[in-house]
């Protein structure tokens, strides 16, 4: 079988036309050419001319044709049908870029979400740490050596104030008086200074002294030892003092015999007071008198000052004793200005038979402690005080006590007349240092607050509970 394909088999041949003659009948394919070369005698390279034979000459027709090129396929876009669909609707098809943008936006949102969660966790830790520090600040400061200094720094002294020193007062008593007057920074600063410096408090003479506020303990002692600061014929009465506590202050400040002042307060009617005692009628203030003043003149001046305050508050004459009684309880029980008005509301709520949780009993420790001469402070009543049958024990007696229990100031009088609005039936001071007081509408809430107070007392055995 011939190895030479027919023209009809070669690519590009037309089936309807005769084939053109091929010169020298040269092999028409590469295979035929190789076969012809194998059949001819081999000759060494370079001897072709000497052999008289030349390599077969291939004309254009003998060059094998190039294989037909496969036309490149046009790949249709995968989005073409989608684009066409959106174009028909007059819309724009979503692009790959926009999907990437959405992915990036989602990533950013997720990142911000993680960031917010981290911030929340950190905030919770910080907030929790703040609560712990606020609750146990004193103990933490003590352990870490961050305790606040007890004394003011030198150079801060300002203003004026009066301080009364009484016979028989200890260094601790005077230290508290200085703190109450705003002279020293803490209640035990002056006493600590006396102990550390070895100074004798007995060197201080009774009387009323002019001092400044925000003094160092050392400067306060120097001022108290200076006779030039002692005010002659001056009596200072602070809010919350009883008549029994006021009498020695009056006598020592003005230089009157104690027995004269005691006699002057026995009969309230001498001063126009229709009550069984002058309790609540000696207005708290600083008084200065002439050297020849009598004890009765002094007491009359103090009673007149109380009448003036009642008139300014527009208290009816027949309501004066009641308002002074309520105000005196507020004065003894409240610490901050806002608490004065809240305590007033508690008193009103307990006296109101429609809403009272205590069946009309005020149950105030300040009233129960009043008849006991040794009680000048503290908040928890003793069993004997709570059980005693007297006109001031509001744990036994319904309504108000039979007289005021102290001399109220103007703020307490205003609070008695204008109680705050609220449902409170109970209150307890949970920190005697700061005066923080919790007011409650129910007994269950109150008991929780009492537990908080009891814990403070355990943590502060010398705190005055």
């Amino acid at each position: 079988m011939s190895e030479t394909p027919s023209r009809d088999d070669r690519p590009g041949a037309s089936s309807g036309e005769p084939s053109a003659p091929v010169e020298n009948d040269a092999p028409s394919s590469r295979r035929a050419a190789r076969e012809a070369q194998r059949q001819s005698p081999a000759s060494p390279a370079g001897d072709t001319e000497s052999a008289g034979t030349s390599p077969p000459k291939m004309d254009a027709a003998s060059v094998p044709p190039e294989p037909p090129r496969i036309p490149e396929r046009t790949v249709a876009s995968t989005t073409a049908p989608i684009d066409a669909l959106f174009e028909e609707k007059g819309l724009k098809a979503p692009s790959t870029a926009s999907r990437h943008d959405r992915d990036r936006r989602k990533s950013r949102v997720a990142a911000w979400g993680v960031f917010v969660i981290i911030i929340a966790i950190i905030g919770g830790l910080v907030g929790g740490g703040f609560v712990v520090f606020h609750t146990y600040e004193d103990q933490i400061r003590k352990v870490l050596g961050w305790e606040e200094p007890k004394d003011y720094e030198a150079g801060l002294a300002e203003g004026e104030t009066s301080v009364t020193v009484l016979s028989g007062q200890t260094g601790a008593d005077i230290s508290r008086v200085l703190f109450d007057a705003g002279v020293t920074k803490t209640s035990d600063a002056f006493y600590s200074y006396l102990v550390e410096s070895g100074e004798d408090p007995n060197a201080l003479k009774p009387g009323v002294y002019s001092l400044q506020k925000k003094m160092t303990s050392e400067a306060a002692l120097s001022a108290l030892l200076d006779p030039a600061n002692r005010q002659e014929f001056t009596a200072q009465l602070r809010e919350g003092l009883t008549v029994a506590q006021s009498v020695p202050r009056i006598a020592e400040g003005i230089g009157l015999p104690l027995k004269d002042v005691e006699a002057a307060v026995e009969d309230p009617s001498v001063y126009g007071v229709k009550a069984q005692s002058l309790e609540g009628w000696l207005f708290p203030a600083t008084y200065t008198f002439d050297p020849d003043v009598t004890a009765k003149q002094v007491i009359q001046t103090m009673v007149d000052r109380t009448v003036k305050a009642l008139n300014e508050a527009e208290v009816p004459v027949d309501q004066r004793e009641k308002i002074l009684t309520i105000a005196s309880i507020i004065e003894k029980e409240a610490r901050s200005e806002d608490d004065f008005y809240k305590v007033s509301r508690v008193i009103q709520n307990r006296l109101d038979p429609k809403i009272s949780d205590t069946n009309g009993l005020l149950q105030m420790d300040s009233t129960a402690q009043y008849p006991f001469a040794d009680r000048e402070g503290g908040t928890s009543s003793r069993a004997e005080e709570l059980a005693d049958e007297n006109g001031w024990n509001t744990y036994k007696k319904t309504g108000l006590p039979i007289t005021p229990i102290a001399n109220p100031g103007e703020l307490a009088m205003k609070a008695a007349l204008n109680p705050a609005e609220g449902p409170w039936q109970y209150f307890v001071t949970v920190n005697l240092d700061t005066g923080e007081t919790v007011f409650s509408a129910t007994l269950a809430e109150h008991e929780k607050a009492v537990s908080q107070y009891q814990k403070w007392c355990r943590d502060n055995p010398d705190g005055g509970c």
Side-chain angles (χ1 to χ4, degrees), residues 388-401:
D388 192 76
E389 297 285 351
N390 61 66
W392 294 274
N393 186 1
T394 55
Y395 282 89
K396 295 285 187 178
K397 177 188 180 301
T398 59
L400 295 172

Side-chain angles (χ1 to χ4, degrees), residues 123-189:
L125 293 174
V126 173
F130 175 79
V131 171
V132 172
F133 182 79
H134 179 72
T135 306
Y136 302 101
E137 180 176 356
D138 294 339
Q139 295 91 325
I140 293 173
R141 286 186 178 277
K142 190 172 183 179
V143 170
L144 298 179
W146 295 351
E147 290 180 279
E148 288 284 334
K150 292 183 177 181
D151 227 340
Y152 285 117
E153 295 180 4
L156 297 179
E158 61 182 16
E160 293 184 3
T161 187
S162 298
V163 173
T164 301
V165 177
L166 301 178
S167 299
Q169 282 187 321
T170 65
D173 294 334
I174 298 172
S175 184
R176 182 72 194 187
V177 170
L178 291 171
F179 170 70
D180 290 339
V183 176
T184 52
K185 186 175 184 179
T186 57
S187 60
D188 60 344

Side-chain angles (χ1 to χ4, degrees), residues 322-335:
K322 176 183 177 180
I323 293 301
L324 286 176
T325 301
I326 295 174
S328 69
I329 298 173
I330 296 171
E331 191 70 64
K332 296 292 285 187
E333 294 283 352
R335 298 288 290 269

Side-chain angles (χ1 to χ4, degrees), residues 307-367:
V307 172
K308 180 183 177 182
L310 291 168
N311 288 337
E312 290 175 347
E314 299 181 351
V315 178
V317 174
D318 62 343
Q319 295 292 312
R320 287 177 175 177
E321 185 75 2
K322 176 183 177 180
I323 293 301
L324 286 176
T325 301
I326 295 174
S328 69
I329 298 173
I330 296 171
E331 191 70 64
K332 296 292 285 187
E333 294 283 352
R335 298 288 290 269
S336 69
E337 183 173 342
D338 288 344
D339 289 351
F340 272 65
Y341 295 91
K342 290 182 178 180
V343 170
S344 180
R345 173 51 61 190
V346 171
I347 293 172
Q348 297 298 331
N349 287 346
R350 288 188 179 182
L351 293 177
D352 188 344
K354 296 179 181 179
I355 61 174
S356 178
D357 274 1
T358 58
N359 297 318
L361 293 171
L362 286 183
Q363 297 180 342
M364 297 289 174
D365 290 294
S366 57
T367 63

Side-chain angles (χ1 to χ4, degrees), residues 103-439:
D103 291 342
R104 283 196 295 269
R105 283 197 297 271
K106 289 180 181 179
S107 298
R108 285 197 296 270
V109 170
W112 275 108
V114 172
F115 178 73
V116 169
I117 293 172
I118 293 173
I119 291 298
I121 294 172
I122 294 174
L125 293 174
V126 173
F130 175 79
V131 171
V132 172
F133 182 79
H134 179 72
T135 306
Y136 302 101
E137 180 176 356
D138 294 339
Q139 295 91 325
I140 293 173
R141 286 186 178 277
K142 190 172 183 179
V143 170
L144 298 179
W146 295 351
E147 290 180 279
E148 288 284 334
K150 292 183 177 181
D151 227 340
Y152 285 117
E153 295 180 4
L156 297 179
E158 61 182 16
E160 293 184 3
T161 187
S162 298
V163 173
T164 301
V165 177
L166 301 178
S167 299
Q169 282 187 321
T170 65
D173 294 334
I174 298 172
S175 184
R176 182 72 194 187
V177 170
L178 291 171
F179 170 70
D180 290 339
V183 176
T184 52
K185 186 175 184 179
T186 57
S187 60
D188 60 344
F190 186 76
Y191 178 69
S192 297
Y193 174 74
L194 293 178
V195 173
E196 293 170 2
S197 62
E199 297 285 350
D200 183 6
N202 294 323
L204 301 176
K205 296 181 179 181
V208 179
Y209 292 84
S210 296
L211 276 71
Q212 289 184 288
K213 295 185 177 182
K214 297 184 178 180
M215 300 178 73
T216 65
S217 295
E218 181 180 5
L221 178 61
S222 298
L224 291 173
L225 293 173
D226 186 352
N229 292 319
R230 189 175 185 274
Q231 302 177 33
E232 297 290 342
F233 314 113
T234 299
Q236 182 194 39
L237 301 183
R238 61 173 175 81
E239 293 87 347
L241 292 177
T242 64
V243 169
Q245 294 167 341
S246 299
V247 166
R249 284 171 169 78
I250 295 169
E252 292 183 351
I254 302 173
L256 293 170
L258 179 60
K259 61 180 182 178
D260 289 356
V261 182
E262 289 175 339
V265 298
E266 287 181 356
D267 187 1
S269 64
V270 173
Y271 311 102
V273 175
K274 296 179 180 181
Q276 66 182 59
S277 80
L278 284 176
E279 200 67 79
W281 287 88
L282 304 182
F283 192 82
T286 299
Y287 302 89
T288 301
F289 300 94
D290 295 330
D292 58 349
V293 69
T294 66
K296 286 187 177 181
Q297 289 174 330
V298 170
I299 300 304
Q300 185 68 66
T301 300
M302 295 178 176
V303 171
D304 290 345
R305 182 65 184 83
T306 298
V307 172
K308 180 183 177 182
L310 291 168
N311 288 337
E312 290 175 347
E314 299 181 351
V315 178
V317 174
D318 62 343
Q319 295 292 312
R320 287 177 175 177
E321 185 75 2
K322 176 183 177 180
I323 293 301
L324 286 176
T325 301
I326 295 174
S328 69
I329 298 173
I330 296 171
E331 191 70 64
K332 296 292 285 187
E333 294 283 352
R335 298 288 290 269
S336 69
E337 183 173 342
D338 288 344
D339 289 351
F340 272 65
Y341 295 91
K342 290 182 178 180
V343 170
S344 180
R345 173 51 61 190
V346 171
I347 293 172
Q348 297 298 331
N349 287 346
R350 288 188 179 182
L351 293 177
D352 188 344
K354 296 179 181 179
I355 61 174
S356 178
D357 274 1
T358 58
N359 297 318
L361 293 171
L362 286 183
Q363 297 180 342
M364 297 289 174
D365 290 294
S366 57
T367 63
Q369 296 168 11
Y370 171 76
F372 295 82
D374 63 329
R375 297 289 282 188
E376 292 191 22
T379 56
S380 300
S381 296
R382 299 176 299 210
E384 59 181 294
E385 295 165 345
L386 298 177
D388 192 76
E389 297 285 351
N390 61 66
W392 294 274
N393 186 1
T394 55
Y395 282 89
K396 295 285 187 178
K397 177 188 180 301
T398 59
L400 295 172
I402 57 176
T403 72
I405 60 172
N407 54 351
E410 289 181 333
L411 175 60
M413 292 183 190
K414 291 178 181 178
L417 292 166
N418 303 285
E421 292 298 325
W424 311 294
Q425 295 265 355
Y426 308 91
F427 66 93
V428 60
T429 301
V430 297
N431 186 320
L432 302 188
D433 281 345
T434 63
E436 180 187 356
T437 302
V438 176
F439 290 80

